[in-house]
Amino acid sequence: MSKIIIKKSDPLCGSVSCSGSKNAALPILASTILTKGTSTLFNIPALTDIEHMLYILRELGGKCTRFADRVDIDFTECHGYCAPYESVSKFRGSFLLAAPLLARMGRARISMPGGCPIGNRPIDLHLKGFAALGAEVENGHGFVDLSCKKLKGAKIYLDFPSVGATENLIMAAVLAEGETVIENAAAEPEITDLADFLNAQGASISGMGSDTITICGVKELTPASYRIISDRIEAGTFMSAFAITGGSGSILNVNPLHLKPVTAKLSEMGAVITEHESSVSIDASRPLSSANIKTLPFPGFPTDMQAQFSALLCETEGTGIIVETVFENRFLHIGELNRMGANIRIDGRSSVIEGPQKLSGAKVTAFDLRGGASLVLAGLCASGETEISGVEHIERGYEHLCEKISSLGGNIFLD
Ligand code: UD1
């Protein structure tokens, strides 16, 4: 099993380019099932979650070819409707296959995703939405079985603006008969990206980026070429890496509007951030002060940046409180940070972080993707050597993380 080894590093400097967004790529790849013909996608990152999705798409009849960051998928034929346990247990994003399979095949059989380290992650909102669109939903024996003759547009109110449920329901409604309105929809940039891709193929979706999304069903989609957005969470992680080492530099190939909540928080803490058309620069050479953070659906502070900021607040002056409102168990990294000398107390869904602390290198384990990133950040400023195991979690969502940080002067390598 590989390990990431990090030694205390000088302030990072230079520029680094972001890869394509994993969370945009997954639903967009799943949605190619809806289109007869060849979809061409650019900016698809080389990550294990993406490779798992491509594997399932091939099993379902999609002819997928990759050339660097370009993926061509020909779904002229689709001959399956199942996503078995072996696939679903590898990555939760596979539940995004439910809607396209239901819409194209009239049937979908998806293994229940089950719990995951960061929380229970139920799928009730997806299922209620499918039922509102006219699907029969059977849920038991470890599988969700969905079937329909023809999906029909409906008004759906989500109890919580779930990203995955919003994406699944958009995909289910695109070829349905009539109009669907999703209220209290999620507004994450990845949802806008999915809707933009579907619209480029002739779908009629409006209101994405707001809390009400309207989809007028169309008869069919026409294949298109599309470049997916870059990864705002990877960009935010690099901003945190500059910040935690007191460095300065630029993050290229990212939309600064997608980073607003992260930029606002780092500015409040004293970093100087300049936004350009498709990049951001950060100067964190002066000491940063602590801050309080509450994770929220977009445009609130992203839960996917909570762990990285937990590490950052260990180095800043003062006490910071983080309230995690999105997932009920997303503090797995805190025990590991404390093993490195952090002083963090968990109180229910809040963590209280006393800074600055002198972190020291230790053997630690990544239990989940973003928690793993927080240990990388902590390792950059901890004295001595940090050895991170559980690297497979980090590789689910960061393309060439060690090489990219090393190109900024970080003392890090994959062993
Ligand atoms: C997506 C992202 C993940 C991010 C999360 C929140 C992908 C592949 N993953 O996950 O990185 O952390 O959004 O920004 O894009 N919930 C229910 N019932 C449901 C669905 C969700 O109660 O049917 C709850 C979840 O348990 C969680 C909250 O809603 O507490 C948010 O989940 P959701 O927005 O659905 O996250 P994902 O789409 O799974």
Side-chain angles (χ1 to χ4, degrees):
M1 287 303 238
S2 44
K3 291 189 165 59
I4 292 177
I5 313 288
I6 313 171
K7 292 198 178 110
K8 185 172 170 62
S9 302
D10 288 335
L12 298 189
C13 72
S15 58
V16 62
S17 185
C18 280
S19 300
S21 160
K22 165 181 86 74
N23 288 354
L26 287 173
I28 287 177
L29 287 169
S31 78
T32 60
I33 291 174
L34 296 167
T35 309
K36 290 183 181 154
T38 305
S39 309
T40 301
L41 300 168
F42 295 93
N43 210 22
I44 302 292
L47 298 169
T48 45
D49 273 14
I50 301 290
E51 298 315 316
H52 290 317
M53 176 61 93
L54 290 173
Y55 177 83
I56 307 181
L57 293 179
R58 286 190 184 103
E59 295 278 292
L60 293 168
K63 295 196 179 80
C64 311
T65 328
R66 200 190 237 287
F67 319 88
D69 77 344
R70 167 181 167 172
V71 174
D72 290 350
I73 306 181
D74 176 359
F75 253 114
T76 307
E77 303 286 337
C78 180
H79 49 61
Y81 59 87
C82 286
Y85 177 74
E86 295 68 38
S87 318
V88 178
S89 60
K90 285 201 181 99
F91 75 110
R92 290 189 57 90
S94 53
F95 200 69
L96 294 165
L97 293 160
L101 286 175
L102 178 64
R104 169 107 185 226
M105 308 300 284
R107 193 160 177 204
R109 186 172 164 83
I110 315 278
S111 181
M112 283 288 286
C116 94
I118 64 171
N120 226 350
R121 303 186 85 171
I123 48 165
D124 55 316
L125 302 175
H126 303 240
L127 301 186
K128 271 199 246 175
F130 292 145
L133 294 169
E136 298 270 328
V137 178
E138 263 186 66
N139 185 358
H141 309 293
F143 276 94
V144 178
D145 264 305
L146 305 168
S147 56
C148 67
K149 284 215 167 63
K150 176 80 187 150
L151 294 170
K152 288 211 170 67
K155 220 170 191 181
I156 301 164
Y157 181 89
L158 295 179
D159 296 338
F160 182 88
S162 153
V163 172
T166 304
E167 291 166 342
N168 248 332
L169 296 174
I170 289 175
M171 292 188 278
V174 142
L175 297 174
E177 214 173 276
E179 182 182 271
T180 299
V181 180
I182 309 172
E183 292 178 307
N184 201 27
E188 269 69 2
E190 293 75 18
I191 289 165
T192 303
D193 210 33
L194 170 65
D196 285 347
F197 171 58
L198 293 168
N199 281 346
Q201 299 177 88
S204 171
I205 307 169
S206 56
M208 51 279 197
S210 79
D211 64 0
T212 306
I213 298 178
T214 304
I215 304 117
C216 296
V218 295
K219 287 227 152 37
E220 58 178 7
L221 299 176
T222 320
S225 289
Y226 190 78
R227 182 178 177 81
I228 67 158
I229 53 170
S230 293
D231 198 317
R232 64 190 168 104
I233 304 301
E234 187 196 17
T237 304
F238 288 130
M239 289 171 91
S240 310
F242 282 116
I244 205 166
T245 58
S248 56
S250 299
I251 295 114
L252 314 177
N253 188 29
V254 66
N255 183 342
L257 295 177
H258 298 167
L259 280 166
K260 278 279 175 213
V262 174
T263 304
K265 196 48 74 178
L266 285 168
S267 304
E268 179 190 324
M269 293 165 71
V272 179
I273 293 170
T274 318
E275 298 176 352
H276 310 278
E277 201 182 320
S278 59
S279 65
V280 286
S281 306
I282 174 167
D283 179 352
S285 50
R286 280 183 314 168
L288 303 184
S289 54
S290 204
N292 294 330
I293 293 169
K294 191 179 199 176
T295 64
L296 286 169
F298 193 83
F301 188 90
T303 174
D304 284 352
M305 284 302 303
Q306 180 258 108
Q308 299 87 318
F309 270 66
S310 302
L312 179 56
L313 293 184
C314 295
E315 285 290 302
T316 54
E317 185 68 44
T319 304
I321 299 176
I322 299 186
V323 185
E324 171 57 63
T325 76
V326 180
F327 289 105
E328 66 270 25
N329 190 28
R330 208 169 192 181
F331 284 137
L332 296 168
H333 49 284
I334 299 294
E336 301 302 284
L337 290 173
N338 280 343
R339 295 187 61 240
M340 295 175 72
N343 180 354
I344 310 178
R345 218 171 51 247
I346 298 177
D347 183 4
R349 288 179 85 150
S350 302
S351 65
V352 182
I353 305 173
E354 306 289 349
Q357 299 293 328
K358 283 208 174 330
L359 299 182
S360 46
K363 288 190 178 187
V364 286
T365 305
F367 295 114
D368 67 287
L369 166 57
R370 307 302 170 188
S374 79
L375 301 177
V376 170
L377 298 180
L380 288 171
C381 59
S383 61
E385 185 174 288
T386 299
E387 184 182 305
I388 305 175
S389 50
V391 174
E392 64 281 6
H393 292 291
I394 300 174
E395 290 175 337
R396 281 187 42 229
Y398 289 96
E399 191 181 49
H400 309 312
L401 182 65
C402 293
E403 290 89 331
K404 287 185 180 186
I405 292 182
S406 164
S407 76
L408 299 171
N411 207 333
I412 178 171
F413 64 92
L414 188 66
D415 189 20

